[in-house]
Structure formats: structure tokens, C-alpha cells
Amino acid sequence: MEIFANLALGFGIALSPFTLALAVAGCFLGTIIGALPGLGPSNGVAILIPLTFTMGLDATSALVLMTSVYYGAMYGGRISSILLNIPGDEPALMTTLDGYPMARQGRAGDALVLSGVASFVGAFLATVGLMLLAPMLARVAYLFGPAEYFALYLLAFCTLGGMASNNQAKAALASCIGLGIAMIGVDSSSGLPRLTGGNLHLYDGIDFLVAIVGLFAIAEVFFFIESHGKGSSIGVKLDKVRIPWKDIMDTKWTMLRASGVGFIAGILPGAGASLGSFLAYMSEKSIAGEKGGFGTGVAKGVAAPEAGNNSAAGGALVPMLTLGVPGSGTTAVLLALLMTLNITPGPTLFTERPEVVWGLIASLLIANVVLLLMNVPMVKIFVKVLMVPAWVLLPGVTMISFVGIYSLSGSYFDLLLMVGFGVLGYILRKLDIPTVPVILGILLGGNMEDALRRAMVLSDGDAMFLFSTPIAVGLWIAAIAGFVAPMFLRGVLKKPPAITD
Amino acid sequence: MASDRIFGLVTLFVALAYIASATQIQTSFLTDPVGPKAFPMLIGAVAALCSLVMIIKPDPDPDWPAARTWGALAVAVVVLIIYAFTLKPFGFVIPTIAAAGILSYQISPRPVAAALSGLGLSIGLYVLFKYALGLSLAGFPKGWF
């Protein structure tokens, strides 16, 4: 079996004592990052990328560390959902619907352990799915020429825009802001500067890390100043934590189904973990029917979104690794990490650098087991972390962001840009304009333009070449459908209202 | 209503300015059928279209903060800009005490707690970066130690 040989290669890399220690540290850090309200996985990974870069870790170690943080943050998001009724990150929103009522019934410990197990099942199955599906998709990806890639990038922007916002025009505008920023700098094929306004600092272009940290972390500080850090105190007491075997056994089919739904949602480019947890919760709710009592604090309502969310997080890695097109905000940040480490995702990654792919997959499996072992007995420690007041946490996050970005280039210009992106992020989020398409635009803008230009060179300027193969036509149709369909499905896909006290 | 319209108008002008400056991009003698101008102009055109849609069909206004909160946000932005400029000449520790303290005060207005969190964060993070993570970070102005 080829898979086992590959896995052995991966574990050979990921099981050294140093990388294991990194995985444990990453999981711990990630869970904390995920648990703290306002510090989601995208945020946390973005702040840590420049720091790992300056610590001089090699590519594999950095990848192990950051994927552990990523998976850890996906686990951690549930803690504040259940105890505070505040989702630690966007995908954890659905967990508040049943998790918080369950905690108010005095079963906070049960909800935390159950959601931890559900997260494990979801993430584990998704990693297995990734192992099986990614090499197959990588073989298909060899058929992709520049025309197909252009259509694929378009598909990512269209579906992400369609899902992420309530207003198509706003989502498309966000993508354009990102793409427009990506154009700044020296043009890769002619070597001449573009749109720099003569500013020497802009000749290298705008670093996507500066934009990510600004839009996510700095903007968050402004939101906390606006709300004066309210709503970050614990309202629910956590008693003794036991393992609720009965609940786990009762929800085993729910977890399996939710993992499948979540994985498929995660694979769709641009859809991501939020859609995964949403679909998993809604499908389980309709299977259980009226008598299921979803929304009143039932075990299935906690297990389904957590399994779906973590499974989608694994599924989102499939298009990111094989095609270089991220499926969600956090995978966009992971793509940024790979690009920083000089690793280009795509079909060639599987043949040319198998050690990176399989090392990553092995470290995902390790991180998963570490997280399960860590989360059940240590959940009390993570709950303590939630007590850190916002007026210490947010200034700390700001300072870490500054040092991280400053250590990239040592220039005050990047820091000013970062503050500028923070202000932009605040305004965009206030106006309900999604910020993830901006990031995706900055990350993929250069590649998208290159694909278009290469396609035009091949066809000598004939625009019909973009629709010349069945794959390309299919992607165009999917892109248009993904952009238009949510306008009509909005009534069906409406999110259930959050529980209020 | 109004905020979407204002934002749409601003982005419309930015998009038009973007297209205008894209027409000024130098082209080299070695060029491909698309050239360096077309894609930026396409983006500008799509952005302008989206801005028009936002102006014609605006969403309801978000809850904007009160005037006092705007003041606090402006102070935070100014503090961060000053912090960006002082980080290099003054080292990490001193500007961080000031910036973290002021930000902390903006989130929760208690002077003593804010000052303590500024001091604690500054020293704690300096020790973390310098000794635990091994970053080469200048802690103090040149010539102090």
C-alpha cells in the first residue's frame, strides 16, 4: 500500500522529539488562542507566522508548529462558545446554540468533554479523508492549464463571496480590494513597477502578512475599544469534569454523519468551516425532528457542529494543498505560511516534496491525539485562561503583532501599513463587508493574473481559449452558480438566532 | 443607508483613480497579449460596478459608536502610529509601556490597572521575545547599557 509507505515517511519526519515537542506546544498555544474570545484561528496563526519565521525554524518544524496551532484553535473555539455563549471563532457559532444551554443546566463539564471527543472524531476522519482524496485530486490537477487555473481562482472568489456575506456586491468589492492591492509592486513579467506612486517601500509589493495581521488582529483591538471589553466574564460555573460515556455513545452516529457533511463542505473552495458546522447542525436537527429538542441543550446539538467544524477544517486542506486554492480564511493564512516558507502548493508538491505533504499529514494526526489527551483532563486550565481580562489581552496581542511584523522587515513603513489595514478592517466589518476575500485577493492576485496572461500567450490573445476545455467550462459554470445561487437560497440558509439570556 | 452610500462613493472614486493610474503603467518592449495594464483595469472596473450597486441598493446602517468612542478609537490609532515610529529609536520597552498602558486604559478606564498592565506586558513580552524565543530585539535606546 502506497499510503502506508507515505505515512511511514511522514511519521519518520514528524515523530522526532523536537517536532513532537513543537506539536505539543502548538496544540497548547492553539487551544488557548481558540478559546480566547476575539482571537480566532486565522488571527492566531497570522500573528505567529512572522515569529516562527524569525525564530529560524526549518520548513517542516514550522509547518508542524503552525498546523498544531491551527487544529488547536479549532478545538479551543468551543470552550468560550459553551461557557460564555461567545464563539471563540466564527465556525464555533453553531456550538453556542446547544452548548450554552447545556452549560446553564449545570452540565458544562459534560458539554466540554463531549465536544472535545466530537472534535477529535471530526478532525481524525477528515485527516483520513485528506490522505485518501488529496493524492487523487493531485493527479487530476495535472490536467489543469492556465485557463483552468484562472477559472478556479474565480470560483474561489465567487463561492467565498457568495457564502461569506449577505450582499454579493460587498463580497465582490472585498475581493477587488484584495486583488487591487496584490497588483502593487514590480510586475513579474515585465519587471517594471506598477501602481507604486513612486514610493520605494511599495516596490516589493505589500506583504500579505502585514495585511492579515492588520485586518484580523489590529481591527479586533478597535472592536474591543468600542465595546469596552464587555461580555468576557464567565457566567457559568464549571464543576467536576467527568467523561460522559453515555452521551458519547448516544451521539456516535451523529458524529460520523456530521464529519461526512463537514468534510464535503470543507472541500468546496471558499466554503470552509463555518458552512461545515452550519450544515452539520442543520442536517442533524432535521434528522432528529421536533422531538430532538435541538436548541435546548441536547448532546447531539453539541456533537454535530463540533464534528462538522473540525472535519471541514481538515477538508479545507484538500484544495489548499492540491490546487493552491484555500477553502476558508484560516487555510488562506496557512497558504500564506507555506508561501513564506517558499513551498508552492499544487499537484507538483505531492511528487516533488512528499516529505512536506506527508510530514504535514502525520503531524495533523499527532496533533489530533495530543489535543484529545490534552483537552479532556486539562480543560480546567483552559477555562482559567478565559479569565484573562480584555484590557490585558488586547494590548498584549497588539504588541506581539507589532514585534512580529517589525521583525519581518525592520521598517516602520510596514507597521504603519498594518495600522492602516486595522482601520480598514474595522470599517469593512462595521459595514458588513467580509475581510477574508481581501486576504484571498492579496494572496492569489498575482497567480490569477499570471494564469490569465499565460493563457493569453498560449492562445495569442484569443479570449475564447478561457472556455476551451470541459474542465474550464465546468469551473466557470460553478463559479457563476456559486455567486448567484446564495441570493436565492438566502431564505433557506438563514442562520438560527443565537440564544440570549 | 447613508454609510453604505458614502462608502460606495469613496470606493467608486478610488476605483476610478485606480483605473486612471493603471493606464499610466509603463509597458516594456517585451510584452504579452494581455500586458501589465489590463488586469488592474479589469479589477478597477469590477470594483466601480460594485460601488455603484452599493450606492443604488444600500443596506441598513450599522450601529456606529457614539462620539466619545470615536474619540477613543482616534486616540488608539494615533498611539499606534506614534508607537510604530518610536519602536526603532527608543527600543522596545519604553514605547511599549506607554502604548500598552494607553490601549488598556481605552478598553477599561482604570488608570492604575492600565499602568500596571502596560508595565507588566512590556517587561514580560521583552523577556519572552529576547530570552525564550531568541529574537534580536533592541530593548532600550542605544548607549543606555
Side-chain angles (χ1 to χ4, degrees), chain A residues 112-311:
Chain A
L112 284 172
V113 176
L114 178 66
S115 59
V117 174
S119 297
F120 172 78
V121 173
F124 181 77
L125 290 178
T127 314
V128 174
L130 171 68
M131 284 191 301
L132 298 172
L133 194 64
M136 282 196 316
L137 200 62
R139 276 197 283 278
V140 176
Y142 272 115
L143 302 172
F144 278 42
E148 285 82 3
Y149 265 107
F150 183 72
L152 186 69
Y153 290 132
L154 198 69
L155 171 67
F157 285 115
C158 286
T159 47
L160 185 67
M163 303 291 170
S165 173
N166 294 319
N167 185 331
Q168 259 37 22
K170 288 182 173 180
L173 183 66
S175 310
C176 288
I177 294 173
L179 289 169
I181 291 169
M183 293 301 110
I184 295 171
V186 173
D187 175 27
S188 57
S189 51
S190 68
L192 290 165
R194 290 198 290 180
L195 304 161
T196 55
N199 189 330
L200 275 180
H201 290 292
L202 289 174
Y203 270 50
D204 276 347
I206 290 174
D207 196 323
F208 40 75
L209 290 176
V210 174
I212 292 172
V213 175
L215 284 174
F216 288 157
I218 304 294
E220 199 64 48
V221 177
F222 296 142
F223 272 96
F224 269 82
I225 290 176
E226 190 192 327
S227 69
H228 288 288
K230 283 193 188 78
S232 50
S233 59
I234 290 203
V236 177
K237 245 186 89 209
L238 180 63
D239 294 324
K240 212 162 183 275
V241 177
R242 272 184 312 258
I243 299 177
W245 292 109
K246 190 177 166 298
D247 284 337
I248 294 172
M249 291 315 287
D250 283 350
T251 54
K252 59 179 185 292
W253 297 114
T254 300
M255 287 183 200
L256 288 178
R257 276 194 300 264
S259 303
V261 171
F263 186 68
I264 293 167
I267 294 173
L268 299 175
S274 306
L275 186 74
S277 65
F278 174 77
L279 287 180
Y281 184 86
M282 293 315 268
S283 63
E284 282 307 312
K285 191 177 175 181
S286 53
I287 288 173
E290 288 288 312
K291 274 183 273 172
F294 271 56
T296 57
V298 290
K300 281 185 181 172
V302 177
E306 273 307 308
N309 156 12
N310 285 273
S311 162

Side-chain angles (χ1 to χ4, degrees), chain A residues 54 167 170 172 180 183 187 194-195 222 225 228 391 399 402-403 406 410 412 426 430-431 433 449 453 456, chain B residues 4 7 18 21 32-34 36 39 50 59 62-63 65 73 76 83 85 88 92 104 106-108 110 135:
Chain A
T54 42
N167 185 331
K170 288 182 173 180
M183 293 301 110
D187 175 27
R194 290 198 290 180
L195 304 161
F222 296 142
I225 290 176
H228 288 288
W391 47 271
M399 301 309 144
F402 267 80
V403 170
Y406 183 71
Y412 69 92
Y426 176 78
K430 267 285 173 194
L431 290 173
I433 299 174
E449 193 195 10
R453 286 167 82 168
M456 289 300 107
Chain B
D4 265 17
F7 190 77
Y18 192 83
S21 55
D32 49 286
V34 178
F39 197 66
C50 296
D59 288 339
D63 298 326
L73 288 171
Y83 183 57
F85 278 110
K88 197 164 198 173
F92 179 77
S104 176
Q106 302 288 0
I107 292 172
S108 168
R110 279 173 304 167
L135 299 188

Side-chain angles (χ1 to χ4, degrees), chain B residues 20-39:
Chain B
S21 55
T23 57
Q24 304 294 316
I25 293 171
Q26 292 168 281
T27 37
S28 76
F29 61 94
L30 266 175
T31 185
D32 49 286
V34 178
K37 288 181 189 176
F39 197 66

